[in-house]
Amino acid sequence: MTQAKPDQELVITRIFNAPRELVYRAFTDPDQLVQWFGPVGFSVPRETVDLDVRVGGHQRFTMVSDEDPNMASPVAARFTEVIENELIVGTEDWEGVPGQQESSGMYLRIEFHDEGGKTRLVLRQGPYTAEMVQMATAGWESSFTKLDPLLAS
């Protein structure tokens, strides 16, 4: 059986009804991150989160299935570029995603653009196989449904 080549980039553009400073903080404040990150049915226990958002800093946490706490996916990222309220760039390693081999050196780029009091977020991540692009997109979109009410509060 031949492994599919990971050569696909995930790109999501989404408008949030909140200023970019609030959206940026939701990605960089551990207490906020745990309230929304992970698709519906998954959570991030606060004790697993370690964030140091600066060039050379890191992000570490574990996403856990609400139904089966033994199903966990640790994520570790290294930040290569950070501009407060504007940009987060880094590389990620993760494991435990069903149907996917462990990742090494996947990139992540999150841009926060001011849209007149709202925020246009542009997220790029990869490389993925074509199948994983669909699954990762669904995961991010599901996470964003949890982020919307947090930003509204």
Side-chain angles (χ1 to χ4, degrees):
M1 186 165 137
T2 305
Q3 289 281 337
K5 183 181 174 205
D7 61 358
Q8 303 286 311
E9 179 182 58
L10 172 150
V11 180
I12 297 174
T13 300
R14 192 167 195 284
I15 302 289
F16 290 97
N17 191 20
R20 70 180 176 168
E21 293 80 9
L22 293 182
V23 179
Y24 181 87
R25 193 172 320 132
F27 278 80
T28 59
D29 175 352
D31 294 325
Q32 290 188 43
L33 185 76
V34 300
Q35 294 181 56
W36 70 270
F37 193 89
V40 172
F42 286 82
S43 58
V44 175
R46 176 61 180 91
E47 65 274 8
T48 71
V49 180
D50 181 16
L51 289 175
D52 180 12
V53 185
R54 62 180 174 84
V55 174
H58 61 268
Q59 175 187 57
R60 297 184 195 106
F61 60 83
T62 302
M63 193 170 54
V64 179
S65 168
D66 296 338
E67 237 177 64
D68 179 4
N70 292 319
M71 189 168 140
S73 180
V75 175
R78 291 168 302 286
F79 297 116
T80 57
E81 190 174 355
V82 175
I83 302 171
E84 187 173 359
N85 301 321
E86 293 182 23
L87 181 67
I88 300 171
V89 179
T91 58
E92 296 180 295
D93 297 323
W94 46 262
E95 58 187 69
V97 176
Q100 183 70 13
Q101 293 180 339
E102 279 79 30
S103 160
S104 179
M106 182 169 51
Y107 66 87
L108 175 67
R109 178 183 179 93
I110 306 169
E111 302 170 12
F112 304 84
H113 300 277
D114 181 37
E115 292 285 326
K118 296 182 180 183
T119 302
R120 178 172 42 92
L121 181 124
V122 180
L123 183 144
R124 295 177 180 277
Q125 189 177 35
Y128 283 113
T129 62
E131 301 80 34
M132 276 301 296
V133 166
Q134 292 177 350
M135 190 164 103
T137 299
W140 277 109
E141 292 294 346
S142 182
S143 291
F144 291 157
T145 66
K146 297 191 306 188
L147 178 54
D148 285 329
L150 174 64
L151 294 171
S153 62

